[in-house]
Amino acid sequence: MSWFEKLHETFIASGHYKLILNGFKNTIIITLGALLIGVVIGSVIAIAKYFSEGVPSMKAVEVICDFYVTVIRGIPVVVLLLIFYFIVMTGAEGVPVAILTFGINSGAYMAEVVRSGINAVDKGQMEAGRSLGMSKLQAMRKIVFPQAIRNILPAIGNEMIALLKETSVAGYVAVIDLTRAGNLVRNNTFDAINPLMLVALVYLVLVVGLTRLLKVFERKLAKSDKRN
Amino acid sequence: MINATDKSGLPDGVNNAAFDWTEKLITVTGLEKRFGGVPVLCGIDVEIDRGDVICVIGPSGSGKSTFLRCLNLLEKPDGGSIVFEGDELTDKKTDVNRHRQKMGMVFQQFNLFPHMTVLENLTCAPVMLKKFTKEEAEEKAMTLLARVGLADRAASYPNQLSGGQKQRVAIVRALCMEPDVMLFDEPTSALDPEMVGEVLDVMKELAESGMTMVVVTHEMGFAREVSNRVIFLDEGVIAEEGTPAEVFGNPKSERLQSFLSKVL
């Protein structure tokens, strides 16, 4: 049997390509959903920390933010996933649990990224906003944060790549993502090489594609960047 | 000081609505500020009338900028009081944001918003704070831009401008809020020498229009020519103050004499 015949048998004739496609779809959905949640949580945490730092009355906020970041970063994401699936959100579908878990996990890392972006914006920007009569929150929203996001777009891209690969453990909680799909095909067909190589190749292509896309995006940003 | 009965010179950029011209605009009493235990301001008393143009001079580290930044609470005073238009600013219950709208500030480093066009820089705060509608704010911004000779740069981004142009935009940005007083923190110190003049010209015109101004500066020529009062700060206290003629023509204290001999 030639390699092509083998491929045909493993993926097409058995209808396993549908499984792989479905897994691919789930991987993309989980990655994008988690990225969105991660960016939102990360921004909220970073801004909350910015406002609470050095303000005695907001000590609790600071402590909660630090606690969140410490705990989430200290627990392996698989363990977190199992905890959410079997304890916190019992009865929920696997995909939403995965989105939420990876989002919450990513948020902790994103918080540090956003914070560094905010800190990189010149202090005079906040002062200029405040001197015009804006509240701290208004100046953050309209002046500091948009500049911070621009600073950290490359870092967010990296986080997205890491996240994409991290979702490969979603199979632990009955989600059929790309990895799980490949592994199921291996199990069903007793053909280990082709499904696993295909899965690896798809991740590789996705990551390389994303990296390329980021490069183009960064270059575009740099070109249209009107800053010094 | 501007004559109470003569307000004809006021442009529409200056709020000349009915107010009590005899009331002090800003009264600073016993102002103190420390940075990490190091005293920077040690009891400053200043009264600022409407229409005053006050230049604050002094050696670096004397507390000039800190004094100015305390006026709109960018630095929190450690002691003393600042009464602006009848309200105590250091009182926790005072809404500082509302008062800051009435106190324009111009920074040494311009601090324009780099991600916005010139026009957006100008209209952002007035629109956000609901002082004007977008249309009103834009109209006002364009009028003021034209007055500083930058109407054609409305769609530019700050980094496409020269230093002098940036600072003129920064002045207009503050004016767009129709402030009652303008605070200048060494507005020409970061400029190339050939651009100092264009900024000082705008400031001079502003002073002539009746705007109340407090200017921290090293431009002694400007202080002498435009201000009606000069304050010499040294080591956190007002070492001497008076009219430009008094301060520059007849300095009393040794410290001021030695300072002037170095800068003039």
Side-chain angles (χ1 to χ4, degrees), chain B residues 95-111:
Chain B
D95 181 3
V96 183
N97 295 332
R98 192 168 57 81
H99 288 292
R100 282 201 183 117
Q101 295 184 24
K102 293 270 146 214
M103 307 171 106
M105 185 151 193
V106 176
F107 300 85
Q108 183 178 349
Q109 297 297 339
F110 328 126
N111 294 345

Side-chain angles (χ1 to χ4, degrees), chain B residues 108 110 162-165 167 187-199:
Chain B
Q108 183 178 349
F110 328 126
S162 71
Q165 291 173 327
Q167 196 61 299
T188 58
S189 297
L191 296 176
D192 291 337
E194 76 266 28
M195 291 169 182
V196 170
E198 62 191 67
V199 172

